Amino acid sequence: MENSWKMFEEFHIDEEMGFALPNPLVELPHPYDAWISIARNLPQLIEDGQLRAEVEKLATLSTDGLEGHKEQRLGHLALGYLTMAYVWGRGDGDIRKVLPSNIAIPYCQLSEKLGLPPILVYADCVLANWKKKDPSGYVHRITLKEKMSMFLVEETTSVRALKRHKPWNMDILFSFPGGDCGKGFFLISLLVEMAAASAIKVIPIIFKAVQCEDSETLQDALREIASCLKRALERFHQIHGKYCMPYTMRAAVKYYVDPNIFFNVLRIYLSGWKGNPSLPEGLLYEGVWDTPKQFAGGSAAQSSVFQCFDVLLGVQHAAGGASSVSAAEFLQEMRTYMPPAHRNFLRSLESGPSVREFVLSKGDASLRETYNKCVQAMVSLRKYHFQIVTKYILIPARRKSKEKGTSKGSSKSEDKGTGGTSLVDFLKTVRRTTEKTLLKEG
């Protein structure tokens, strides 16, 4: 890999936004604006019981008029929202098993062009589902205290990105029912992606340092990785509504994701039709396939960030027992839900030199410690992810089961992630395999 952002162009990685789509479009030309109109009014249409009727009125459009990657991504995002809303309705158990051809045909055509499945994926609802409230970026007058803190902020790529794409000036394009719960959930996930951007940037430097056996440069680059992953964890903490940014970035930035609303409302609309007892056979895409198809819902496992640093640091999820193999297979499957350019980037990392083996071979205690800080940062992220899953899914699921008077075993389907996997087993396994990657002394 060259130490240049030119090589990232083919992988659709942005210097400031990382894997997120930089400056997504917010409008589509006629006649595709009809999709946008419904997607933008989704919560109200669902509440009024008009969503399905409005979707069924739509004309069947060819996707040939959508020019360029960003128009296609916005189209895929809008159709993803329409599809999830059509299938799950009000979230009260009234489910549709057939997606009408007027939506299914263009959705599948667009999915084929983008190399994505015809379901709302992480690349849609997080990476391409944001905008600036005020395109000029002006929001408030900066106080003296904020000006002073500007000089104290480390000028990494992720920090510069947060200054340029001010979090208090960011919003999501489309929402599901549940008020600001979805806004908080998607934007916090986006901020985590942005925090990792400058870490991605140093990967070519790391590979070159290993090839040239330049331990000093490698150690500096690994420090940057550890620092970025630490900032990603700080962004993650905002899910509780905590301020985790310097004063320059705090103005009115306080997102909160309510556990009950997330579990009982938002999570329903993010659920897929693979491993889901509500749609055991999957969803029939009318006019496209003659039999139902199964696709997993959006999942954090579809983020390229975690898998990127797993590969870089040599985390081997398949090493271990049957649970490890199962987790590794699930992570590989989730790659098919990523944009093809991001999948190709992960494959390119796998063909690069082994950072872990190089650190081992040097026997340098200081280098080993710096490498371990990177791995430990990944462990910390995964531990916190498990805490979030416990608070937002496992506890509400058990509470719901208790309210219904059902057995403990009957809540297992509720304990599954939107990606369709067993959350507890998967998260514990990936955390354990990440911990095993830490290098021991001597």
Side-chain angles (χ1 to χ4, degrees), residues 8 80 103 131 160 172 186 209 252 364:
F8 282 133
I103 288 296
K131 65 179 180 180
R160 288 197 300 273
I172 56 176
F186 295 139
D364 183 324

Side-chain angles (χ1 to χ4, degrees), residues 3 18-19 87 125 242 244 256 286 309 317 359 389 396 422 433:
N3 182 14
F19 292 109
V87 170
C125 58
K242 296 179 179 179
C244 300
Y256 175 66
E286 186 180 62
F309 294 113
H317 289 293
V359 174
V389 166
S422 171
T433 52

Side-chain angles (χ1 to χ4, degrees), residues 144-316:
L144 176 61
K145 191 172 186 179
E146 289 172 337
K147 287 180 180 178
M148 291 292 291
S149 66
M150 282 184 178
F151 298 100
L152 303 177
V153 176
E154 182 185 2
E155 282 290 349
T156 61
T157 298
S158 57
V159 170
R160 288 197 300 273
L162 286 167
K163 283 183 177 179
R164 181 180 173 191
H165 306 287
K166 302 172 180 66
W168 62 82
N169 190 31
M170 297 173 76
D171 203 349
I172 56 176
L173 298 179
F174 308 125
S175 302
F176 287 116
D180 285 340
C181 179
K183 175 181 176 179
F185 183 69
F186 295 139
L187 285 184
I188 289 166
S189 299
L190 178 63
L191 291 176
V192 171
E193 294 280 336
M194 291 169 63
S198 54
I200 301 168
K201 183 179 179 179
V202 302
I203 290 176
I205 298 173
I206 286 177
F207 280 170
K208 186 174 181 180
V210 171
Q211 291 168 340
C212 298
E213 298 194 17
D214 184 351
S215 297
E216 184 177 349
T217 299
L218 174 61
Q219 191 163 359
D220 288 342
L222 288 175
R223 287 193 188 102
E224 175 66 9
I225 297 283
S227 177
C228 290
L229 292 178
K230 182 181 178 181
R231 281 194 294 274
L233 180 59
E234 291 171 353
R235 305 292 178 261
F236 210 170
H237 276 84
Q238 284 187 273
I239 200 167
H240 297 299
K242 296 179 179 179
Y243 291 115
C244 300
M245 296 184 181
Y247 285 105
T248 47
M249 301 167 204
R250 276 190 187 171
V253 183
K254 190 174 183 180
Y255 303 126
Y256 175 66
V257 181
D258 183 277
N260 291 322
I261 295 176
F262 175 82
F263 180 81
N264 293 300
V265 183
L266 182 60
R267 183 169 170 267
I268 293 172
Y269 293 100
L270 298 179
S271 298
W273 26 93
K274 181 174 184 178
N276 190 336
S278 297
L279 283 169
E281 296 180 357
L283 180 70
L284 179 63
Y285 292 77
E286 186 180 62
V288 181
W289 294 297
D290 295 329
T291 56
K293 298 296 178 180
Q294 297 190 1
F295 295 105
S299 165
Q302 295 169 7
S303 167
S304 301
V305 166
F306 291 102
Q307 295 212 35
C308 165
F309 294 113
D310 277 344
V311 174
L312 180 70
L313 298 171
V315 179
Q316 300 291 329

Side-chain angles (χ1 to χ4, degrees), residues 26 66 75 99 161 234 278 281 306 323 343 385 415:
V26 297
L66 291 174
L99 188 66
E234 291 171 353
S278 297
E281 296 180 357
F306 291 102
S323 60
R343 298 199 295 265
H385 189 196
D415 291 355

Side-chain angles (χ1 to χ4, degrees), residues 89-123:
R90 290 182 172 177
D92 56 5
D94 179 16
I95 301 167
R96 292 291 185 269
K97 298 181 180 180
V98 180
L99 188 66
S101 59
N102 61 332
I103 288 296
I105 291 174
Y107 195 19
C108 290
Q109 287 177 351
L110 204 49
S111 296
E112 185 175 359
K113 289 180 179 181
L114 289 170
L116 293 170
I119 191 170
L120 189 73
V121 295
Y122 183 92

